[in-house]
Amino acid sequence: STDHFIGRPHVELLREIARSMEDPEAVMEAYQRLIEDPSAVLAYEFDQIVPDQRRLRFVSRPASPNDPSAGRVDVITDVSEANARAGQVERLLDETRRTAESYQRGLLPQSIPRLPRVGLVAHYVAASGDKGVCGDFYDFHPLADGRVGLILGDVCGSGPQAASDGALTRYSLRSFATEEPDAGALFERLNRHVARNLPADRFARALLCVLDA
């Protein structure tokens, strides 16, 4: 008879869990499995609405793993604060990711040059994905006689250091391009400058294509 169990704390708890779920029958089926298998473990999270809203975690497991007949241990844990802290961390990470994306986009050219007989389109996907900033960049440099330098750059690693190295490479190249009309001489000068200013374990790769429209 079930009458003996009505009103018992664990039954009221299961009812509370069942009322908070879309599939309350599944809760009762799980509890039935505990009766049939004394060594099984039941674990759920649910919201308590009154007297105040809290997030609770319920775990029921055998009191002794070696002797299932010894009874069960039911543990109710209030995880409201932990969930709130996790939410704060998630929001901070999201904000950091947006800041990183903004910083990453700041290293890229704001516009694409318009050239006669040539159409340029840029599509940028950072190698670091959602992990943060990296040193990948592209750029366009006006050269002598109406030529345009198309730049693809990649700095090793990811994170703020890679973004800083990418900025050094990109803006140094942009600065030197106004003084060096020859692509070979330009890259030789850039290479010396980058090697002198980056740590020994850091490096950058760059490709310069000179387009004469």
Side-chain angles (χ1 to χ4, degrees):
S1 172
T2 59
D3 294 343
H4 174 70
F5 298 97
I6 294 178
R8 295 282 294 276
H10 66 284
V11 173
E12 293 305 311
L13 177 61
L14 283 168
R15 286 180 170 177
E16 183 69 26
I17 295 174
R19 282 194 290 268
S20 70
M21 297 185 63
E22 296 181 2
D23 188 8
E25 291 81 5
V27 181
M28 307 316 294
E29 290 175 1
Y31 194 64
Q32 181 64 35
R33 286 198 297 272
L34 289 183
I35 298 174
E36 298 170 353
D37 181 6
S39 63
V41 176
L42 177 66
Y44 282 108
E45 281 193 15
F46 62 98
D47 289 313
Q48 173 182 291
I49 307 301
V50 291
D52 44 41
Q53 187 161 0
R54 295 184 301 166
R55 186 72 175 173
L56 304 179
R57 179 177 294 144
F58 167 65
V59 177
S60 179
R61 56 169 48 94
S64 171
N66 300 323
D67 183 12
S69 64
R72 304 188 64 79
V73 176
D74 294 339
V75 179
I76 304 175
T77 308
D78 188 344
V79 295
S80 304
E81 291 187 10
N83 284 359
R85 287 195 297 270
Q88 291 175 350
V89 171
E90 188 175 343
R91 287 190 294 272
L92 286 174
L93 288 176
D94 202 45
E95 183 178 332
T96 301
R97 181 182 57 79
R98 289 196 299 269
T99 302
E101 288 178 353
S102 176
Y103 184 35
Q104 184 85 61
R105 297 292 173 182
L107 297 177
L108 304 178
Q110 300 298 313
S111 60
I112 298 176
R114 299 174 64 89
L115 303 174
R117 299 182 297 279
V118 177
L120 299 177
V121 178
H123 179 64
Y124 181 81
V125 180
S128 60
D130 294 334
K131 298 178 182 178
V133 296
C134 65
D136 306 337
F137 68 93
Y138 67 91
D139 207 352
F140 308 97
H141 296 304
L143 300 174
D145 304 325
R147 295 175 302 156
V148 175
L150 310 179
I151 308 297
L152 294 179
D154 175 25
V155 175
C156 67
S158 61
Q161 180 65 54
S164 177
D165 295 346
L168 169 70
T169 306
R170 181 197 174 206
Y171 291 115
S172 296
L173 179 59
R174 179 174 282 272
S175 175
F176 297 158
T178 60
E179 304 170 3
E180 294 285 359
D182 179 71
L186 171 63
F187 257 38
E188 287 178 2
R189 182 176 178 183
L190 175 68
N191 191 58
R192 290 193 302 269
H193 178 73
V194 171
R196 189 165 54 245
N197 287 276
L198 291 188
D201 61 338
R202 308 286 303 175
F203 63 92
R205 287 185 294 262
L207 171 69
L208 169 63
C209 301
V210 179
L211 175 64
D212 187 346

